[in-house]
Amino acid sequence: MPNPVLQRELVAHLRSPKAFAMQTAFVLLLGAIVVAAWPAERKIDMTNPYAARQLINLFFIAQFLLASLTAPAFAAGALTGEKERKSYEMLLASALRPSQIVWGKWLASVAPSLLLIVSSLPIVMLCLPLGGVSFYEVAAAYATLVAAIACFSLISLLASAFFARTTAALVTSYLVVLPLALGGLLLWLTFGTGNAEARLILFICIVPPTTAGLLYFLFSLVTRRLWYPSDIGSEGREIVDEKQELREAVGLVLRRDEFPDRLFAPPKRIDILPDGVNPVLDKELRSELFSQGTLMLRLVIQISLLLAVPMMGACLYFRPPWAPWYIAYVLLFNMLVGPVFSAGSVSSERERRTLDLLLVTTLSPGQILWGKLFSGLRISTVLTMFLMWPLVLACLMVPEYYGNLPTFALMFVLVAATCAFTSIVSLFCSVCFQKSNVSLTVAYLSIACLFLLGPAADYFGRSFFPETVLAQVLHALTAISPFSAAFSLPLEMSLLTKESRLADWPIFLGHLAFQAIFLALLLKLMMLIFRNRYDAAGGI
């Protein structure tokens, strides 16, 4: 029996121009990577095909990371989109069983990623004659990619079933999916440098049954959620009762009048707004953050702190030279949560049809934009700085850090600058795009490219054409990434560890200069766009 949900989703998504543009860009990107890394030798030593194996490993790593980033984007809005369009209850009241709805939504969200993976088959087949990797390893790698896409999509679909907004489902999905993706990547690299037979046995005999069990469990959870929905009648529950939510909340409870909750969520105002206070900033901080409930915010705090505990122990106490890896985790966390609180600041006003009303008030465009910016920046900065307290404790408890206090002070500066960077880029996307979902997705993709492009290009240059001018140029590109800036700071350890790191000041200072120039241009352009719309709406 045909599944109408699947048919509708496939027609709506796969026939859109965006799908063809994404597939074309994906194939061109992979093709460019293979062409740039193709061995230059006319004769290849088949007994030691190191370059060929490295090329194919890079090929699959790129596909796996791309699948990890795109799979949640396709699935996180599958059910929350129905809730936002007020069609969720009609879907549940149809003749379709919940399992059919989940099956159709899941396959429809998996299909775009699968299409991208299948379109890369001709490119990888060109690499097989180079040697180094057997056909069975390639088949196992593709089977693992499909299994990963299926798991990541179903995790995002589960988040979509529990949340009312796509933004909340998307950020929660990334918080769960990205650690799993990094673990899978580490597993691939570990077995890639060792015995190929062991990797083949792992990805053929262990990964499929484990994945099948996880998929069955997740599918059952989503289906049960649709059998017994607790969020129907959403038209009558647009405003969340905070007192009732506090009574029913499980786990972490947020209270506006207690520390440190009041740092990002001030108490409700019960008096008249004083003169000189920005009403946009006051409204965003006191109302918008709690307008859709605190489940997403509580999950963000709990998951981030739970993941920070092993990272803190491993990188700050057991292996002090690994301290930059903990900073990289903090930067990754901010890359995930920063856009959530800024990417919908202006686009949500458009969706609620209140932007024109806001523009014709006595507030200037600068007051509106700065209020929107500081509200999102304050929340993301406070949440990110929660993860920096272990670094302060480590500086007090680990003797090897006593001589590195200036370095750790610069790490705080780097994290604060990154918080501003993610918030401003996300607010710029919110100004440019009509829908919050599109704004958030573009913000994630833009920030991920800016953060990861430099290290990826540097790794590519060092692996395939080291000690060349092009490799030096690609190394200079790492200055745009805060991850590279964190590892460029000096770190002096005792003679026992012998893992001291010299400073690469051009990378760190170049990164701060890049951020300052880039953000200044974005702010100027954003103010120009907003002011033009302000004039068009009848402002003074």
Side-chain angles (χ1 to χ4, degrees), residues 3-16 19 73-83 85 87-88 91 96 100-112 157 160:
N3 191 313
V5 175
L6 176 61
Q7 290 181 344
R8 184 263 173 195
E9 296 288 337
L10 291 180
V11 170
H13 294 117
L14 295 185
R15 289 186 181 181
S16 65
F74 290 129
L79 293 175
T80 53
E82 302 286 348
K83 299 173 186 177
R85 293 190 297 267
S87 58
Y88 182 59
L91 181 63
L96 296 173
Q100 292 177 290
I101 298 174
V102 176
W103 186 254
K105 292 287 187 180
W106 180 33
L107 289 183
S109 61
V110 169
L157 190 61
S160 185

Side-chain angles (χ1 to χ4, degrees), residues 168-190:
L170 188 60
V171 68
T172 306
S173 301
Y174 277 125
L175 282 173
V176 177
V177 166
L178 285 186
L180 295 177
L182 293 178
L185 180 60
L186 181 62
L187 194 64
W188 173 270
L189 294 176
T190 301

Side-chain angles (χ1 to χ4, degrees), residues 86-151:
K86 309 301 182 186
S87 58
Y88 182 59
E89 296 180 10
M90 291 187 290
L91 181 63
L92 294 180
S94 66
L96 296 173
R97 296 173 62 85
S99 58
Q100 292 177 290
I101 298 174
V102 176
W103 186 254
K105 292 287 187 180
W106 180 33
L107 289 183
S109 61
V110 169
S113 298
L114 285 181
L115 187 61
L116 296 179
I117 298 301
V118 171
S119 63
S120 68
L121 275 172
I123 299 177
V124 75
M125 289 304 172
L126 293 175
C127 302
L128 284 180
L130 296 176
V133 179
S134 67
F135 172 80
Y136 299 103
E137 288 184 87
V138 173
Y142 268 94
T144 304
L145 280 175
V146 173
I149 291 173
C151 282

